Amino acid sequence: MHTSSPRILITGAAGQLGTELTAELQKLYGEANVIATDIRTPKNFQGIFENIDVTNTIRLAYLIDKYKITQIYHLVAILSAKGEQNPTLAWQINVEVTRQILEIAREKRLEKVYVPSSIAVFGDKTPKHNAPQYTILNPSTIYGVSKLTCEMLFEYYYQKYNLDVRSLRYPGIISYKAMPGGGTTDYAIDIFHKAVARKPYECFLKPDTYLPMIYMPDALQATLQVMHAEAHKLRVRTSYNIGAMTFSPRQIFEEIQKHLPEFQITYQPDFRQQIADSWVHSIDDSFAREDWGWQPTFDLPAMVADMLVHLQKREMAWA
Ligand code: SER
């Protein structure tokens, strides 16, 4: 391992994004340079893992010293649906912990910090189609309010302390390796698990609810691209819009049905419908395209075909 490699600490490494991002970072920088952390220990983890409750920032600071960390990927967050059930916890985890991490990064002069934002920063006053990078942001969930606050903090720490914080406003992320928890876009993952189990799916959103989504390989690619971009190229110091695809429950159902003709769906909207209705349908990501070459690979048909191949393989292995 060459000594110039960054030394990375990831929070939320056992989560939906963390599981796959950790593996990518290990491939890029070597297992010895990537410290995965989470409140729960993942099964069969390969590499360096430390248990941590992120609210314990003293331990976090200790681990940063212990492993001579130079970059943090802070992925822990309480998502939209779970946040509405416990707004106080969402604020504490999403804002207070993030601010403390920025403080630690500033004090310890870390080279770079990555923290995700989300389409949840948009609201019902944001243009629904091709939501611009700079536009009205009136989030309706505590998740959106907290992520928007974080975006302001990223810019503040950059301007005031020259801390190099980078961020993406992820659409709903679709993946098969680790399950998401507590999001509104999670229906687009649950639906696959029912389909491959040959069970009908009861959707908690209405059939024509359009939301921006992204397939995990594209989300990983975008994350690494923004982290590797030259600092002077980054015009956005809050969080970059990124778009990949847009679809509704009806459309993803019909796409799955092309592969599994017996598959059935019913619709039983719950409180998450209101959350979804406050978000936008599609994203203008021209800043990301111009500044660091963002270009998604997967559209709806390609994503559905790939998800089904992987989940069916797993079904067969378990059978
Ligand atoms: N996937 C998130 C959620 O549904 C949106 O960022 O809460």
Side-chain angles (χ1 to χ4, degrees):
M1 206 56 45
H2 45 97
T3 46
S4 63
S5 172
R7 308 254 319 150
I8 295 172
L9 183 139
I10 306 167
T11 73
Q16 184 200 6
L17 178 60
T19 300
E20 301 204 32
L21 193 54
T22 301
E24 287 302 312
L25 292 168
Q26 286 175 329
K27 261 189 249 162
L28 269 175
Y29 300 118
E31 266 178 31
N33 288 313
V34 178
I35 315 310
T37 73
D38 205 292
I39 199 160
R40 59 201 157 100
T41 312
K43 276 189 224 140
N44 311 322
F45 183 79
Q46 280 272 324
I48 306 171
F49 183 86
E50 293 274 0
N51 258 114
I52 186 170
D53 172 343
V54 278
T55 58
N56 184 351
T57 40
I58 294 175
R59 177 158 160 76
L60 196 66
Y62 160 78
L63 291 176
I64 289 168
D65 288 341
K66 176 177 170 189
Y67 290 105
K68 302 189 168 49
I69 296 301
T70 61
Q71 298 186 6
I72 299 183
Y73 285 70
H74 172 45
L75 308 182
V76 171
I78 305 287
L79 299 191
S80 60
K82 190 166 169 209
E84 290 317 288
Q85 277 144 6
N86 195 341
T88 304
L89 179 71
W91 184 264
Q92 190 201 6
I93 299 289
N94 297 352
V95 179
E96 287 167 14
V97 169
T98 302
R99 199 193 69 83
Q100 298 221 32
I101 287 180
L102 296 177
E103 268 304 291
I104 295 172
R106 172 178 82 80
E107 277 167 17
K108 298 190 182 294
R109 297 180 200 280
L110 298 194
E111 179 189 282
K112 270 182 217 172
V113 179
Y114 179 78
V115 189
S117 185
S118 158
I119 52 164
V121 298
F122 299 123
D124 65 0
K125 305 285 186 294
T126 312
K128 284 267 179 227
H129 300 282
N130 295 325
Q133 178 69 47
Y134 294 106
T135 183
I136 297 173
L137 299 171
N138 65 315
S140 63
T141 60
I142 193 69
Y143 177 54
V145 172
S146 64
K147 283 295 178 186
L148 182 54
T149 308
C150 287
E151 288 191 7
M152 306 284 105
L153 285 173
F154 305 154
E155 171 111 56
Y156 180 81
Y157 272 76
Y158 174 69
Q159 299 292 352
K160 191 166 170 91
Y161 304 115
N162 205 22
L163 181 66
D164 192 353
V165 191
R166 303 184 180 198
S167 179
L168 301 175
R169 288 174 178 158
Y170 289 125
I173 302 179
I174 298 167
S175 69
Y176 57 86
K177 287 196 182 150
M179 292 299 276
T184 301
T185 55
D186 295 4
Y187 91 84
I189 296 173
D190 300 343
I191 193 169
F192 283 102
H193 289 270
K194 291 289 184 203
V196 297
R198 301 288 194 269
K199 290 190 180 139
Y201 179 59
E202 185 179 281
C203 184
F204 57 77
L205 296 180
K206 291 184 200 159
D208 292 317
T209 313
Y210 287 84
L211 288 172
M213 301 278 185
I214 189 169
Y215 194 33
M216 182 63 91
D218 279 335
L220 295 172
Q221 168 74 12
T223 308
L224 297 174
Q225 264 184 298
V226 77
M227 282 301 271
H228 290 151
E230 290 171 71
H232 70 90
K233 294 212 172 126
L234 303 178
R235 285 176 293 171
V236 177
R237 283 296 181 169
T238 48
S239 186
Y240 276 93
N241 277 7
I242 53 163
M245 62 182 104
T246 287
F247 57 79
S248 65
R250 191 201 307 277
Q251 286 175 323
I252 190 173
F253 164 68
E254 285 173 0
E255 196 56 44
I256 294 173
Q257 225 188 17
K258 287 183 193 162
H259 300 261
L260 299 167
E262 310 286 293
F263 185 43
Q264 294 295 320
I265 191 167
T266 53
Y267 299 95
Q268 201 59 254
D270 66 15
F271 73 101
R272 289 169 279 193
Q273 183 65 46
Q274 216 181 336
I275 299 178
D277 287 342
S278 76
W279 292 348
V280 301
H281 293 175
S282 58
I283 310 279
D284 174 353
D285 56 10
S286 42
F287 278 84
R289 289 174 188 261
E290 287 162 23
D291 291 5
W292 42 272
W294 166 236
Q295 178 82 58
T297 305
F298 285 87
D299 59 7
L300 175 64
M303 177 275 284
V304 167
D306 200 65
M307 280 288 285
L308 287 174
V309 165
H310 285 99
L311 285 173
Q312 282 172 326
K313 235 190 252 166
R314 198 188 296 178
E315 275 280 302
M316 272 153 62
W318 284 348

